[in-house]
């Protein structure tokens, strides 16, 4: 499988026009089976989460903050798998998948945003349970509809500006020779592996973002359960 790219006149770096996602191309005999498995799982995830959203929306007894956050979490899960699985299913129909430079950047950006949003929503759900258990008499006052909507908006929007900067840093970096990516979608680690030169800035940004969106929510969730 040949590497594709255009050599820039400034030097020996490669101006990539697309990436090649190797994915499951090394097991061509299993691609039909994998296509069926992933398609069934994808349909189950969409149907299951859609059912959760509809039931918690229609049933009057489920109009509580806990189920409000659960609806958002189910919607998030549907978006999360829809970023990667449809593309994977398409690529399984071919020997390998090629994805344009811009499409790869967009996919990685949305995937990272949804991953961070998941951490934030789990933290909001933990806070809801903390208030319900530790302050049951004040629970209806504290967890009012306005606060719930504000928490959800913060969860869905906080990661957007963060990953605009991170994705810009990654995809404005020079890429070396081969454009083959040993993955089935554009995730940050395999993309960064193709970057030329010093990746210290990218690695530092990764650690900082991981601390903010993973470690901090984890500690808050842990503290809420200890309380």
């Amino acid at each position: 499988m040949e590497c594709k790219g255009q050599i820039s006149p400034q030097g020996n770096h490669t101006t990539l026009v697309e990436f090649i996602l190797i994915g499951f191309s090394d097991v061509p005999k299993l691609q039909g089976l994998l296509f069926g498995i992933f398609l069934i799982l994808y349909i189950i995830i969409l149907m299951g989460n859609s059912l959760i959203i509809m039931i918690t929306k229609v049933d009057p007894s489920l109009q509580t903050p806990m189920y409000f956050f659960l609806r958002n979490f189910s919607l998030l899960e549907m978006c999360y798998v829809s970023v990667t699985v449809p593309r994977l299913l398409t690529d399984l129909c071919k020997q390998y998948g090629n994805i344009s430079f811009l499409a790869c950047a967009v996919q990685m950006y949305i995937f990272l945003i949804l991953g961070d949003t998941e951490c934030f929503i789990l933290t909001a759900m933990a806070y809801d349970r903390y208030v319900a258990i530790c302050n049951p008499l004040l629970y209806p006052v504290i967890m009012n509809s306005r606060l719930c909507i504000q928490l959800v908006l913060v969860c869905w929007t906080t990661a957007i500006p963060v990953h605009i900067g991170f994705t810009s840093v990654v995809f404005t970096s020079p890429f070396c020779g081969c454009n083959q990516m040993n993955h089935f979608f554009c995730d940050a680690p395999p993309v960064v592996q193709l970057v030329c030169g010093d990746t210290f800035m990218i690695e530092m940004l990764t650690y900082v973002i991981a601390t903010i969106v993973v470690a901090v929510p984890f500690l808050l969730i842990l503290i809420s359960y200890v309380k």
Side-chain angles (χ1 to χ4, degrees):
M1 193 179 296
E2 297 181 355
C3 294
K4 298 179 181 179
Q6 297 175 347
I7 303 299
S8 64
Q10 288 82 6
N12 294 325
H13 297 309
T14 303
T15 303
L16 295 180
V17 295
E18 66 177 8
F19 292 100
I20 296 176
L21 300 171
I22 297 177
F24 299 98
S25 61
D26 55 341
V27 285
K29 294 182 179 180
L30 296 178
Q31 288 192 4
L33 175 62
L34 291 172
F35 178 88
I37 293 174
F38 284 120
L39 179 60
I40 292 172
L41 290 175
Y42 183 54
I43 293 173
I44 291 173
I45 292 172
L46 293 182
M47 291 180 62
N49 285 285
S50 297
L51 187 61
I52 291 174
I53 293 173
M54 287 188 293
I55 292 175
T56 56
K57 186 69 175 176
V58 174
D59 193 334
S61 64
L62 301 181
Q63 305 306 307
T64 62
M66 180 175 69
Y67 292 103
F68 174 72
F69 290 121
L70 183 60
R71 280 199 300 274
N72 279 271
F73 191 78
S74 295
L75 176 61
L76 174 66
E77 288 299 305
M78 294 171 64
C79 296
Y80 205 52
V81 296
S82 296
V83 173
T84 56
V85 177
R87 178 80 205 190
L88 172 60
L89 294 174
T90 302
D91 293 342
L92 284 172
C93 296
K94 303 180 290 185
Q95 185 176 1
Y96 61 88
N98 57 315
I99 183 171
S100 69
F101 191 82
L102 178 59
C104 184
V106 172
Q107 185 184 50
M108 190 184 86
Y109 174 64
I110 296 176
F111 181 80
L112 292 174
I113 288 176
L114 295 175
D116 293 358
T117 302
E118 183 172 12
C119 295
F120 297 146
I121 289 183
L122 287 173
T123 307
M125 295 172 74
Y127 176 71
D128 172 68
R129 293 299 84 201
Y130 162 76
V131 176
I133 295 172
C134 297
N135 296 283
L137 297 179
L138 295 176
Y139 178 74
V141 178
I142 297 175
M143 297 304 297
N144 54 67
S145 58
R146 180 180 178 182
L147 178 62
C148 291
I149 293 173
Q150 289 175 343
L151 287 174
V152 165
L153 287 176
V154 169
C155 291
W156 281 98
T157 59
T158 299
I160 293 176
V162 173
H163 286 296
I164 287 178
F166 179 75
T167 306
S168 298
V169 170
V170 173
F171 282 89
T172 54
S173 302
F175 287 87
C176 298
C178 188
N179 63 345
Q180 296 179 4
M181 192 181 304
N182 190 21
H183 210 347
F184 60 89
F185 73 98
C186 289
D187 197 6
V191 172
V192 173
Q193 288 180 357
L194 301 180
V195 174
C196 287
D198 188 11
T199 58
F200 176 77
M201 179 62 69
I202 298 175
E203 292 173 359
M204 289 303 299
L205 281 174
T206 303
Y207 291 137
V208 171
I209 294 173
T211 300
I212 295 173
V213 304
V214 178
V216 172
F218 173 76
L219 289 175
L220 292 175
I221 293 171
L222 184 63
I223 290 172
S224 72
Y225 276 91
V226 171
K227 290 284 186 177

